[in-house]
Amino acid sequence: MISYARQTQEEQPEASQPPVEEHIAPSPRVSVQAFCETVETAAAVQSAGEDRRLGKAHLKIQMGGMAAAIEAYRSAPTPNVIVLESDARNDLLNGLDQLATVCDAGTRVVVIGRINDVMLYRELVRRGVSDYVLAPVGAIDVVRSICNLFSAPEAKAVGRIIAVVGAKGGVGASTISHNVAWAIARDLAMDAVVADLDLAFGTAGLDYNQDPPQGIADAVFSPDRVDTAFIDRLLSKCTDHLSLLAAPATLDRVYDFGTDAFDAVFDTLRATMPCIVLDVPHQWSGWTKRALIGADDILIVAAPDLANLRNTKNLFDLLKAARPNDRPPLYCLNQVGVPKRPEIAAAEFAKAIESQPVVSIPFEPQIFGAAANNGQMIAEISANHKSIEMFLQIAQRLTGRSETKKQKSSLLSPLIEKLRGK
């Protein structure tokens, strides 16, 4: 019997690219078989199978539509998801009735058709179809439909992973990532966790003035133990909304990882945290590349010089090619205006990258140095510093949120403001 998946819309929109703020949660490890009638739909499904969000799904594509599906499952078990393309209304309904007689319990069915009729949609839902997508479809339409089958409306939202990486060593990517995470937690009131992936030399513990006995290394070297309870024990509380998964920052062992070393950690964090900020070290390996490509959004931090421009361009080109259904990475310029240093202007940088920087953060060693040495964020050192607004702009762009948390007023607020002013 075909299983039923609740729908929230009665009419399906035409195929289109997703808005910038759209967040599609990755699918779990499932088997998907598609039966297409046209080469265009088959190509779209094939492209969807290469999307990062379907990276764990096993996808198989066949031609022949409904008839091929019915014949295939007369003697074979059905997969987790069946994708069917069908044009004719009567043939579709009759075919679904026949498919139901050979379909295993728990299998979900997605239909791709060209009939834009709400009555047909209601009839499909009554027969247990999980989703109806209006053709012609793009790869992102297929990705969205399959992934949403495993994201129930009443379930807790899957967390958004934000990866921050420097275009070159020493450009301040860690400082930016920690302050942006602070803005996400404080100003956007989102529960967030910072995962310091630089296990040998990470600075998140220093920047947040935390020295936890355990951290991310315990999870990476014990993958069989990783679950929600285990990760919770490793988290260090920084504020009410911000937690830290700290790096050991010790050299008593080497940190050579396989490509999928962090997968279990990331999957577990997604299930428990609305926002995960990855502080990705400036190195190129299988796992750093996987972390960047698998993230929901990416921020590249660059200084305004030629090496940073080259590296930013290379990262942009690679990530755009590897993530064709995602928006391009964002980047910001940092340490702008170093005295006597020749710099590439932001306009020239943007022309080469073909994208404007989110913000350009000026070089201010005194306040940034004081914050680093005190284990504080810029907002804790100077509540009105201009960079705080820049961190908030980055946070809003990365999370897709524009609203900020309203501060609760109290009778002591005027007095506190006067004391801050002094």
Side-chain angles (χ1 to χ4, degrees):
M1 181 179 179
I2 303 173
S3 68
Y4 170 79
R6 186 174 63 175
Q7 299 294 309
T8 57
Q9 295 179 339
E10 291 192 337
E11 293 185 86
Q12 296 293 325
E14 294 183 359
S16 60
Q17 291 297 317
V20 170
E21 295 81 5
E22 183 180 19
H23 176 48
I24 303 173
S27 79
R29 298 184 188 278
V30 293
S31 57
V32 182
Q33 292 187 8
F35 295 85
C36 304
E37 292 186 344
T38 64
V39 293
E40 292 80 9
T41 298
V45 175
Q46 180 65 44
S47 179
E50 299 169 0
D51 187 274
R52 63 178 179 85
R53 284 157 290 207
L54 292 181
K56 294 181 180 180
H58 178 69
L59 177 64
K60 182 179 179 181
I61 304 172
Q62 297 177 234
M63 303 303 290
M66 180 70 72
I70 296 171
E71 184 62 31
Y73 299 129
R74 291 188 190 280
S75 57
T78 52
N80 301 112
V81 180
I82 300 174
V83 179
L84 295 170
E85 182 182 16
S86 179
D87 291 339
R89 178 190 186 111
N90 293 332
D91 291 346
L92 171 59
L93 297 179
N94 293 333
L96 287 173
D97 290 339
Q98 295 181 54
L99 184 63
T101 64
V102 297
C103 199
D104 299 334
T107 295
R108 308 185 186 197
V109 174
V110 174
V111 174
I112 298 174
R114 287 177 167 76
I115 303 174
N116 190 6
D117 182 3
V118 70
M119 296 304 295
L120 172 62
Y121 175 74
R122 288 174 176 169
E123 186 59 31
L124 293 176
V125 170
R126 192 182 70 81
R127 278 173 160 81
V129 168
S130 300
D131 194 13
Y132 180 67
V133 185
L134 195 63
V137 296
I140 192 63
D141 299 301
V142 179
V143 171
R144 183 190 300 113
S145 180
I146 295 175
C147 290
N148 286 348
L149 296 179
F150 304 95
S151 299
E154 66 274 8
K156 186 176 181 179
V158 176
R160 178 189 294 263
I161 289 184
I162 295 169
V164 182
V165 66
K168 189 170 177 286
V171 297
S174 291
T175 298
I176 300 302
S177 67
H178 303 161
N179 279 275
V180 168
W182 183 273
I184 291 171
R186 188 192 71 161
D187 299 319
L188 302 182
M190 291 180 66
D191 287 333
V193 60
V194 174
D196 191 344
L197 304 187
D198 190 352
L199 273 68
F201 304 106
T203 59
L206 296 175
D207 285 353
Y208 291 121
N209 196 25
Q210 299 285 328
D211 187 21
Q214 296 178 300
I216 194 167
D218 298 271
V220 175
F221 289 111
S222 303
D224 295 338
R225 298 176 59 194
V226 173
D227 58 21
T228 301
F230 182 62
I231 292 294
D232 284 345
R233 289 197 298 270
L234 301 181
L235 292 176
S236 176
K237 198 77 171 176
C238 299
T239 69
D240 288 343
H241 290 289
L242 183 63
S243 299
L244 170 65
L245 196 54
T250 58
L251 304 179
D252 56 349
R253 66 198 304 179
V254 294
Y255 304 103
D256 296 329
F257 303 124
T259 302
D260 58 354
F262 289 88
D263 284 7
V265 178
F266 297 163
D267 290 344
T268 304
L269 287 173
R270 276 187 185 275
T272 58
M273 281 287 178
C275 185
I276 303 99
V277 178
L278 305 182
D279 183 1
V280 182
H282 179 73
Q283 65 182 67
W284 198 241
S285 61
W287 70 264
T288 54
K289 180 180 178 181
R290 186 180 179 93
L292 291 173
I293 292 176
D296 295 294
D297 284 287
I298 304 164
L299 175 70
I300 302 169
V301 180
D305 62 30
L306 185 59
N308 276 273
L309 176 57
R310 179 202 64 188
N311 295 352
T312 302
K313 177 65 173 173
N314 288 342
L315 282 169
F316 252 74
D317 291 344
L318 181 140
L319 293 171
K320 286 172 67 177
R323 298 154 49 89
N325 302 313
D326 291 89
R327 67 172 172 177
L330 304 177
Y331 77 98
C332 72
L333 295 178
N334 192 32
Q335 303 172 351
V336 176
V338 175
K340 300 182 179 179
R341 181 182 72 176
E343 295 181 348
I344 297 176
E348 294 299 318
F349 218 97
K351 183 177 180 181
I353 304 298
E354 298 181 344
S355 176
Q356 294 292 330
V358 183
V359 296
S360 295
I361 303 173
F363 177 68
E364 296 190 55
Q366 185 171 359
I367 188 167
F368 278 84
N373 289 337
N374 292 339
Q376 293 178 297
M377 298 292 99
I378 301 299
E380 296 178 288
I381 293 286
S382 175
N384 297 316
H385 194 266
K386 56 187 176 182
S387 66
I388 298 173
E389 182 62 31
M390 296 182 183
F391 296 141
L392 178 57
Q393 289 179 40
I394 297 173
Q396 290 171 331
R397 289 286 300 276
L398 289 171
T399 61
R401 291 194 176 189
S402 59
E403 74 278 5
T404 57
K405 182 181 66 175
K406 294 182 179 179
Q407 299 290 339
K408 294 182 179 180
S409 59
S410 71
L411 296 176
L412 297 179
S413 295
L415 177 60
I416 293 174
E417 291 300 321
K418 287 183 180 180
L419 292 175
R420 283 178 177 171
K422 293 181 180 180

